[in-house]
Amino acid sequence: MQKYVRALNDRDTKALLTVGAAPDKPWSRQQANKIIETKGGKGLVIAKAPIEYEQMGDYLGKAALTASDESGRAVRERVDLIHEDGHWHVILFEWPQRSDKPTAGT
């Protein structure tokens, strides 16, 4: 959660892509920029961020992020998480649908 909040505070698109385990592509940069426009640059300081695991096992979870912005106002956000390759990643992006579906001739 610290890397997620740091990416938001720094308004850092590349760092946000890394936190979300997304490739550096036009579609993901566009989504990251929208997230930063709405949530970035607020000087958030994490108070707590406990993880609640989903019923499906240890690979999905939610963090109840509680932070304060630079003016001291409380900020709360539920953040979806996935555990891949030994690391927790924030689920931030909607991945594009594949358009190259196989045809009957292939």
Side-chain angles (χ1 to χ4, degrees):
M1 294 308 309
Q2 291 177 351
K3 290 179 182 180
Y4 170 63
V5 169
R6 188 176 317 120
L8 291 177
N9 285 342
D10 294 345
R11 302 180 66 82
D12 186 340
T13 301
K14 280 188 120 21
L16 197 57
L17 293 173
T18 300
V19 169
D24 190 356
K25 302 284 184 187
W27 64 266
S28 57
R29 283 192 302 272
Q30 182 179 25
Q31 288 183 46
N33 287 333
K34 285 182 182 178
I35 293 167
I36 287 172
E37 282 176 29
T38 59
K39 299 180 181 180
K42 296 184 179 178
L44 298 176
V45 176
I46 297 174
K48 59 183 177 178
I51 296 174
E52 301 169 5
Y53 297 98
E54 295 288 321
Q55 294 279 335
M56 298 164 89
D58 295 337
Y59 295 99
L60 295 174
K62 292 184 184 295
L65 175 64
T66 302
S68 58
D69 66 14
E70 53 198 8
S71 69
R73 186 177 63 96
V75 177
R76 290 178 181 81
E77 179 182 356
R78 302 242 345 131
V79 181
D80 292 323
L81 304 168
I82 188 166
H83 193 266
E84 293 179 319
D85 301 324
H87 301 283
W88 284 101
H89 297 282
V90 178
I91 301 173
L92 297 171
F93 303 99
E94 291 184 29
W95 293 71
Q97 299 294 317
R98 285 184 51 128
S99 60
D100 55 341
K101 294 180 181 170
T103 62
T106 54

